Amino acid sequence: MTILFYSEADSAEPWREAFARELPHIAFRVWPDAGPLESVRYALVWNPPRGLLARLPNLKAILALGAGVDPIPTDPTLPKGVPLLRLVDVGFPAQMAEYAIYAVLKFQRRMGELDDLQRRAQWNQLDPFFARDFPVGVMGLGVIGKVVAQRLSAVGYAVAGWARGPKTIENVEVYSARGRLKDFLARSRVVVNALPLTPQTENILDAAAFATMPRGGYVVNIGRGAHLVDRDLIDALDSGQLAGAMLDVFREEPLPSTHPFWRHPKIVVTPHIAAPTIASEVQAQVIDNIRRLERGEPPVGLVDPSRGY
Amino acid sequence: MTILFYSEADSAEPWREAFARELPHIAFRVWPDAGPLESVRYALVWNPPRGLLARLPNLKAILALGAGVDPIPTDPTLPKGVPLLRLVDVGFPAQMAEYAIYAVLKFQRRMGELDDLQRRAQWNQLDPFFARDFPVGVMGLGVIGKVVAQRLSAVGYAVAGWARGPKTIENVEVYSARGRLKDFLARSRVVVNALPLTPQTENILDAAAFATMPRGGYVVNIGRGAHLVDRDLIDALDSGQLAGAMLDVFREEPLPSTHPFWRHPKIVVTPHIAAPTIASEVQAQVIDNIRRLERGEPPVGLVDPSRGY
């Protein structure tokens, strides 16, 4: 029995050690050194190449090394009926909230402009912006978006959320269903994207969305790079329709050094660090999930591949 | 009857208009064009020169244009028995909390280092720091410090507060009395100073305080410049005992362009903007206070000059 590891973003060694210690009866192999493919019972993967999972005839579960599982559900060869599991609440929501709060405060308190003034040793108080003029909209009210919205509200912002279905979250005004997206965008000076990536949400942050937001608005992307139309964002910033953006996720990662986002004066780029995983907690969750599967118990973090989350 | 205005930081014109509209029976004069000094019944001042207030024989109240009143109580010629009033809660606590949360998140999430990496278009995720390793200590638990502490707690930090007397604040561990300062500093990875300036608190952020904090700690000053010993801070940063500081207040303001704080790589300088006053709310509070005094009712924001707050 084998667990097959595939990730270009995570080191395999800590996992090899954890499995040797916790589940010594399962062989740990790192792609492409997979051994006999029919022996692979579990795949522990992040961003696996298309077709890889289809080559494993006795696969019992796919464990994604992330809170999001894309692009796995869009692989047309994805084996049907094999449970797909994602990481659940290993500190992700709180970390995402930290990032979002920092981003909103940075824009509302004009901190980027003050950084520029410090570089010139210039004492200039600027006209203040007030929190009451910065209604924040959180796109996606899943486990992550809900905590992000609640904590932004606790900092003092008027927070609304946009979700597919109706929800009730204290102190958060919920806009649900596609038809209410325009109203949601129109009232949000800052939009924080925490959506899962699905065919319905891809490219949702586009020229039409930016034009619906109030002039001088801001975008924070902690969802996926493919939610955002890169060119449309740059155009909206250059025209003044948007005043700034803070981006943690990109269509291509690492973001190529020639990409215009790096040097755009109104864009803050961070290298996909909004929710750094706490390795020990992730390991504990994956190992616990494999133990559950081995005992025939329901695992944690089951994803519906047709929805993508 | 005259109200005399003195401030080098605030424009007199909006005040002249507000008084003409709301209290037209009181003449509004701006120092040094004070008219007969015996006509001055109210002084509306920020940072007045020593001796100015003593020259007003019929002064009924001193209204400070700030939440802090220093250096007024330390003026040895301050007329005794004249009520000294400060601004109370015109959005100050919430704004101070915004600033403090931003500063703590900036350090905990290594955002300054990520800014530097962006300038070089370098994708480097750095080793993450986690909120659970960043206990925050708030010095001063008055109206401002209490809100700062509570909101930092809501963001997810373990928050302690240090105050002169005992207090109870939900989710905040309170250290009270001078003897507990060492314990408070020793458990605080980040210290946020929100103390009033008094002879007892001047220079409280000194080499001894920094040495008591955990190595690699951070200081955020939203109190007064004279709380901090400038040279000691630079030494603690240069030795690595402290890892960073974000300062909004300084011994001399504007901070002279030659001051080493401006260019120190571990110091973030902001130009006394942590709590920008909402002009309309400040005006409403001052005018309401003068109406109360005219009617013989107790005013809001009475300061005990012997304590200084």
Side-chain angles (χ1 to χ4, degrees):
Chain A
M1 189 194 328
T2 304
I3 182 159
L4 177 63
F5 179 93
Y6 179 93
S7 171
E8 291 178 6
D10 304 85
S11 165
E13 280 320 299
W15 286 102
R16 189 189 302 279
E17 288 162 26
F19 276 95
R21 189 175 61 239
E22 302 289 338
L23 297 165
H25 66 290
I26 304 183
F28 182 85
R29 313 287 303 235
V30 180
W31 184 265
D33 176 28
L37 296 184
E38 59 273 19
S39 298
V40 176
R41 191 182 308 209
Y42 302 107
L44 181 59
V45 295
W46 190 78
N47 202 10
R50 284 197 171 189
L52 171 62
L53 298 167
R55 294 171 61 188
L56 310 171
N58 296 312
L59 198 60
K60 194 163 166 183
I62 303 159
L63 297 99
L65 275 167
V69 294
D70 61 276
I72 298 170
T74 62
D75 180 347
T77 71
L78 183 71
K80 299 236 183 306
V82 177
L84 171 60
L85 311 175
R86 67 186 190 86
L87 297 176
V88 175
D89 192 15
V90 278
F92 287 141
Q95 293 175 335
M96 292 285 198
E98 290 168 12
Y99 186 99
I101 291 167
Y102 174 84
V104 175
L105 283 171
K106 186 181 180 84
F107 295 134
Q108 185 237 309
R109 298 304 301 261
R110 308 187 69 171
M111 290 293 184
E113 293 160 90
L114 292 170
D115 284 344
D116 292 341
L117 288 165
Q118 179 175 356
R119 275 190 283 277
R120 304 199 297 270
Q122 268 185 25
W123 183 278
N124 176 349
Q125 296 186 311
L126 302 176
D127 288 334
F129 294 169
F130 297 103
R132 60 179 174 195
D133 299 321
F134 271 69
V136 180
V138 178
M139 299 180 78
L141 293 173
V143 179
I144 288 170
K146 182 180 170 184
V147 173
V148 169
Q150 285 173 317
R151 296 202 175 180
L152 280 162
S153 167
V155 174
Y157 295 103
V159 178
W162 180 72
R164 204 163 75 149
K167 306 238 178 189
T168 306
I169 304 175
E170 203 183 349
N171 297 324
V172 176
E173 186 187 1
V174 177
Y175 293 70
S176 61
R178 193 89 191 181
R180 303 221 55 206
L181 181 57
K182 277 201 165 188
D183 295 337
F184 164 84
L185 292 169
R187 58 74 68 196
S188 298
R189 177 84 177 265
V190 188
V191 167
V192 178
N193 173 43
L195 286 165
L197 184 63
T198 69
Q200 290 75 43
T201 65
E202 194 171 347
N203 299 323
I204 196 167
L205 296 172
D206 62 0
F210 304 144
T212 308
M213 288 174 63
R215 190 168 175 85
Y218 300 85
V219 170
V220 180
N221 194 10
I222 51 175
R224 290 291 183 220
H227 284 128
L228 179 79
V229 180
D230 293 7
R231 189 67 244 171
D232 288 3
L233 175 66
I234 290 174
D235 289 346
L237 290 166
D238 290 347
S239 76
Q241 171 59 22
L242 292 183
M246 184 159 175
L247 310 175
D248 190 51
V249 288
F250 306 92
R251 286 176 184 267
E252 187 181 347
E253 293 183 7
L255 185 67
S257 61
T258 54
H259 195 289
F261 283 173
W262 279 115
R263 288 174 184 85
H264 197 288
K266 295 181 179 172
I267 296 179
V268 181
V269 168
T270 56
H272 204 142
I273 49 77
T277 52
I278 301 176
S280 58
E281 292 178 18
V282 171
Q283 283 183 2
Q285 186 173 123
V286 166
I287 283 163
D288 177 63
N289 248 352
I290 291 178
R291 288 204 175 110
R292 285 168 187 254
L293 291 161
E294 291 283 292
R295 290 194 298 255
E297 296 171 9
V300 170
L302 193 62
V303 170
D304 175 351
S306 70
R307 290 193 308 170
Y309 60 95
Chain B
M1 188 194 329
T2 304
I3 181 158
L4 177 62
F5 179 94
Y6 179 93
S7 170
E8 290 177 4
D10 305 85
S11 166
E13 281 319 299
W15 287 102
R16 189 189 300 282
E17 289 162 26
F19 276 93
R21 191 174 61 238
E22 302 289 339
L23 296 165
H25 65 291
I26 304 184
F28 182 87
R29 313 286 302 236
V30 179
W31 183 265
D33 177 27
L37 296 183
E38 58 273 19
S39 298
V40 175
R41 189 181 311 209
Y42 301 106
L44 181 60
V45 294
W46 190 80
N47 202 9
R50 284 196 169 190
L52 172 61
L53 298 167
R55 295 172 61 188
L56 310 171
N58 295 311
L59 197 58
K60 193 162 168 184
I62 303 159
L63 298 99
L65 276 167
V69 295
D70 60 280
I72 298 170
T74 62
D75 181 347
T77 70
L78 182 71
K80 300 237 182 303
V82 177
L84 170 60
L85 310 175
R86 66 185 190 87
L87 296 177
V88 176
D89 192 15
V90 278
F92 288 139
Q95 292 174 338
M96 292 285 196
E98 290 168 13
Y99 186 99
I101 292 167
Y102 174 85
V104 175
L105 283 171
K106 185 181 182 86
F107 295 133
Q108 184 238 312
R109 299 304 302 261
R110 309 186 69 171
M111 289 295 184
E113 294 160 89
L114 292 170
D115 284 345
D116 292 340
L117 288 165
Q118 179 176 355
R119 276 190 282 278
R120 304 198 298 268
Q122 267 185 25
W123 182 276
N124 177 348
Q125 295 185 313
L126 304 175
D127 288 334
F129 293 169
F130 297 104
R132 60 179 173 193
D133 299 322
F134 271 68
V136 180
V138 178
M139 299 180 79
L141 294 173
V143 179
I144 287 171
K146 181 180 171 185
V147 173
V148 169
Q150 285 174 317
R151 294 201 177 182
L152 279 163
S153 167
V155 173
Y157 295 102
V159 178
W162 180 73
R164 203 162 75 148
K167 306 238 177 189
T168 305
I169 304 175
E170 203 184 349
N171 297 322
V172 176
E173 188 188 358
V174 177
Y175 293 69
S176 61
R178 192 90 189 179
R180 303 221 57 207
L181 181 58
K182 277 202 164 188
D183 295 337
F184 164 84
L185 292 169
R187 57 72 70 197
S188 298
R189 177 82 177 266
V190 188
V191 167
V192 178
N193 173 43
L195 286 166
L197 184 64
T198 69
Q200 289 75 41
T201 65
E202 194 171 347
N203 298 324
I204 196 166
L205 296 171
D206 63 359
F210 304 144
T212 308
M213 288 175 62
R215 191 169 173 84
Y218 301 85
V219 169
V220 180
N221 194 9
I222 52 176
R224 291 290 183 221
H227 285 127
L228 178 80
V229 181
D230 294 7
R231 189 65 245 171
D232 288 1
L233 175 67
I234 289 173
D235 289 345
L237 290 166
D238 290 348
S239 76
Q241 171 59 21
L242 292 183
M246 184 158 174
L247 310 175
D248 190 51
V249 288
F250 306 92
R251 286 178 183 267
E252 186 181 347
E253 296 184 5
L255 185 67
S257 62
T258 54
H259 195 288
F261 283 173
W262 280 115
R263 287 175 184 85
H264 197 288
K266 294 181 180 171
I267 296 179
V268 181
V269 168
T270 56
H272 205 144
I273 50 76
T277 51
I278 301 176
S280 58
E281 292 177 18
V282 171
Q283 283 185 3
Q285 186 173 124
V286 166
I287 284 164
D288 177 63
N289 249 353
I290 291 178
R291 289 205 175 110
R292 285 169 187 253
L293 292 160
E294 290 283 290
R295 289 194 300 254
E297 296 170 9
V300 170
L302 193 62
V303 170
D304 175 351
S306 70
R307 289 193 309 168
Y309 59 95

